[in-house]
Amino acid sequence: MSSHPIRILVVDDEAQMLRMLRVVLTSSGYKVLIAANGEEALDQLAVEQPDLVILDLMLPDISGVEITRQVRSWPSNVPIIILSALGEERDKVAALDAGADDYLTKPFSTQELLARVRVWLRRLATAPAPATSSVIQHGELIIDLARRTVTRASQPIYLTPKEYDMLTYLAKNAGRVVTHRTLLTAVWGAEYTGSPQYLHVLINHLRRKIEPDPQRPQYILTEPGIGYRFAEG
């Protein structure tokens, strides 16, 4: 992280929520920027370039999903934590598909929010420089992107092209929830987003090959109703 105080942009149209989050985050040592609508949020993001964003989905002008989509169209990897009263799976999926990194449903625990903020800031601080290595390692599992090889405990694992594409896509996004739609698009193409059975079959095949115990996966974790997450090493 840079030397300036860590700046967190909070976007919510409820004045009481903004006040509460400002107090909680400020007392933890963060500098808090606030925005009460989408236009203000996009302006703050462009000008202030905060280190993290806490974003409500329901705003009076631009939805949180659309804000997320716009930010991800920029050259920006700022962590976005959605904080919303919308708790349905479809709302979470829409936000994650748009590029959000995490999702908390109101009402929420401030301690859990602070813990998630620390996780994403730590991840941002320890992120490797781009293109410094073509090897992804998680314990005994090693993916060599340059050679397109996968080994576990020094033993080669033979994957089909789609199994390899699935594994590398998840591994490159380790720690992030990747939705069913995103995975289907990445591996098969956008025309397959309505065919989740392809995804479930491939994940099962992949787990049988890479997991020490496929019934208790330690690499590819299921996010029920939403997608999958590759565990962080």
Side-chain angles (χ1 to χ4, degrees):
M1 303 292 291
S2 60
S3 57
H4 66 68
I6 293 172
R7 295 168 301 169
I8 297 178
L9 173 61
V10 179
V11 186
D12 202 302
D13 62 336
E14 295 182 28
Q16 185 176 355
M17 179 64 67
L18 285 175
R19 285 194 297 270
M20 185 271 287
L21 289 174
R22 188 202 288 271
V23 170
V24 169
L25 293 167
T26 301
S27 65
S28 295
Y30 303 117
K31 179 178 179 180
V32 179
L33 310 170
I34 62 171
N37 58 55
E39 288 291 347
E40 289 181 13
L42 290 171
D43 286 345
Q44 292 264 34
L45 279 157
V47 175
E48 299 291 343
Q49 297 183 2
D51 299 294
L52 184 140
V53 180
I54 297 174
L55 175 64
D56 187 23
L57 284 186
M58 296 187 295
L59 297 169
D61 52 354
I62 307 172
S63 74
V65 169
E66 180 57 29
I67 291 171
T68 301
R69 190 175 290 115
Q70 288 193 38
V71 172
R72 291 301 179 235
S73 72
W74 306 344
S76 171
N77 290 320
V78 61
I80 299 175
I81 300 176
I82 299 296
L83 204 59
S84 178
L86 300 175
E88 297 293 328
E89 283 182 359
R90 64 177 178 272
D91 300 312
K92 296 180 181 180
V93 168
L96 292 165
D97 270 338
D101 297 290
D102 210 342
Y103 198 114
L104 271 176
T105 303
K106 298 177 182 178
F108 58 92
S109 159
T110 56
Q111 291 306 308
E112 182 179 3
L113 174 63
L114 289 171
R116 296 198 188 195
V117 166
R118 290 192 295 271
V119 165
W120 286 106
L121 291 174
R122 184 165 61 246
R123 186 170 299 163
L124 193 64
T126 58
T132 56
S133 174
S134 63
V135 175
I136 299 173
Q137 182 168 1
H138 184 304
E140 296 183 330
L141 185 70
I142 298 175
I143 306 166
D144 190 321
L145 301 173
R147 297 181 180 180
R148 290 183 64 87
T149 61
V150 180
T151 60
R152 193 187 76 224
S154 301
Q155 298 300 309
I157 298 174
Y158 300 102
L159 303 178
T160 67
K162 279 194 166 30
E163 287 170 348
Y164 178 83
D165 289 346
M166 176 72 72
L167 177 61
T168 55
Y169 191 90
L170 287 167
K172 288 177 181 178
N173 291 280
R176 297 177 183 271
V177 178
V178 183
T179 65
H180 298 137
R181 178 184 294 273
T182 299
L183 280 171
L184 285 163
T185 301
V187 178
W188 283 277
E191 66 271 23
Y192 285 88
T193 55
S195 305
Q197 66 274 15
Y198 288 94
L199 179 58
H200 301 322
V201 169
L202 192 66
I203 289 289
N204 287 336
H205 288 173
L206 191 52
R207 279 174 168 162
R208 284 200 290 268
K209 291 183 178 182
I210 71 168
E211 298 282 359
D213 181 357
Q215 300 303 313
R216 297 180 179 180
Q218 65 185 56
Y219 300 123
I220 300 176
L221 310 178
T222 299
E223 296 289 338
I226 298 175
Y228 298 93
R229 175 171 52 88
F230 192 86
E232 290 187 278

